[in-house]
Amino acid sequence: MSSNASLVCQKYSDAAYEDGRAESSRASSIEFHYTEKFLRPYIRPDSRVAELGCATGYYAFRFAPLCKSYLGVDLSPANIALFREKIQASGLSNAQAEVGDATKLALPDRQFDVVLALGPMYHLPEGERALVFAECRRICKPGGTLAFAYINKGGAYMKACIDFPDAYPSPAATEPVLEKGEDDLRPGLFYFTTPEEMAADAERCGLTVLENHGLDFTYGAARINEMDEEKFAAWMALSDLLCETPSCTGMSNHALLICRK
């Protein structure tokens, strides 16, 4: 089991908050928009999909109608309870949800065409991220697709500098954030990495890297939320370019690595 499981469950004990995060603001929605955009081409009618770190089912309700079956797994019992309520209320017949730990899954080998780890890497130090890579590879069919969401060291730190200019950059954050890849304000809960480190970890696990995209670049969230429709459309045109440009990936806050087994 992950070493900080209790901290993570405490963080996500309010499932209603996580359930509304994607629609809470324009800035918050961007990460979800691009995650869906980059993953949708890999979801096919005959796909069996497993999502680790599924929260309350945001992606399930977008991808399950496109595939054969969808299993959501999350460490937080509160998230899974709400996800199950939503499945029942929606009548979505091919989706299931269960509590589980991405570092040690109670799932059989080689059962899924697509394996999505869209939350665990945010909360695990390097050694435990390797366990998630191995578990995802184990449950994925040969030739299947795997995706791993993560938080960038550089992007997260730059976002803090933009959003909180009186506090950052800070000498006190240099070692935990840039050297250890750990949140300076929430140690033991959030962890950061880089595109190069994630790709190397995937390759060490025997995966082939297909894509590595930034998702939500670090311009101030308040400024994005204040934009009128015309400015926001222009911002999204720029975001399209940044997300498709590998040299920009590390300056995104959240990012997405897509691999093949």
Side-chain angles (χ1 to χ4, degrees):
M1 176 174 284
S2 55
S3 60
N4 61 352
S6 60
L7 276 177
V8 174
C9 288
Q10 182 179 356
K11 164 67 177 174
Y12 296 104
S13 60
D14 182 1
Y17 169 79
E18 182 63 21
D19 192 51
R21 191 166 65 87
E23 287 89 20
S24 63
S25 71
R26 270 181 170 167
S28 296
S29 73
I30 292 173
E31 170 200 349
F32 294 87
H33 166 79
Y34 283 109
T35 300
E36 182 178 354
K37 174 183 175 180
F38 291 127
L39 291 179
R40 185 175 283 266
Y42 295 98
I43 311 294
R44 299 182 174 89
D46 61 347
S47 296
R48 295 188 66 192
V49 180
E51 181 190 352
L52 315 180
C54 64
T56 61
Y58 178 90
Y59 294 107
F61 289 98
R62 284 149 181 82
F63 293 149
L66 308 178
C67 67
K68 182 177 181 179
S69 66
Y70 202 99
L71 173 64
V73 179
D74 199 272
L75 191 62
S76 165
N79 281 346
I80 291 300
L82 182 53
F83 188 3
R84 287 173 173 167
E85 291 177 12
K86 291 167 65 179
I87 290 172
Q88 185 172 9
S90 70
L92 190 63
S93 61
N94 67 333
Q96 294 180 297
E98 62 182 55
V99 175
D101 187 323
T103 66
K104 189 174 177 60
L105 295 165
L107 296 173
D109 296 354
R110 300 183 296 277
Q111 292 296 303
F112 298 95
D113 303 282
V114 180
V115 179
L116 311 175
L118 301 183
M121 299 303 195
Y122 297 170
H123 299 292
L124 295 172
E126 183 177 0
E128 293 179 45
R129 288 199 297 267
L131 300 176
V132 177
F133 275 112
E135 282 292 87
C136 288
R137 187 183 187 282
R138 179 182 67 80
I139 68 173
C140 187
K141 293 180 181 179
T145 301
L146 307 94
F148 305 90
Y150 61 98
I151 304 175
N152 278 310
K153 293 177 185 176
Y157 200 163
M158 182 63 74
K159 185 177 188 299
C161 291
I162 292 171
D163 289 348
F164 308 104
D166 292 337
Y168 294 95
S170 165
T174 299
E175 181 180 2
V177 176
L178 299 184
E179 296 179 18
K180 295 182 178 179
E182 186 172 15
D183 193 311
D184 60 312
L185 298 181
R186 294 165 292 184
L189 181 58
F190 282 96
Y191 290 89
F192 315 134
T193 183
T194 68
E196 293 80 9
E197 289 169 349
M198 286 292 291
D201 287 345
E203 290 169 351
R204 276 193 291 270
C205 190
L207 303 177
T208 299
V209 173
L210 301 178
E211 306 177 47
N212 204 350
H213 298 283
L215 301 173
D216 55 346
F217 289 83
T218 56
Y219 192 67
R223 295 180 179 89
I224 292 173
N225 292 332
E226 291 167 358
M227 290 177 180
D228 61 25
E229 294 295 331
E230 184 177 26
K231 280 192 173 182
F232 185 67
W235 172 253
M236 291 303 288
L238 173 58
S239 294
D240 287 346
L241 173 66
L242 296 174
C243 290
E244 294 284 2
T245 304
S247 63
C248 298
T249 301
M251 290 310 298
S252 178
N253 187 26
H254 298 89
L256 183 71
L257 177 73
I258 302 175
C259 304
R260 178 166 291 138
K261 179 176 175 179

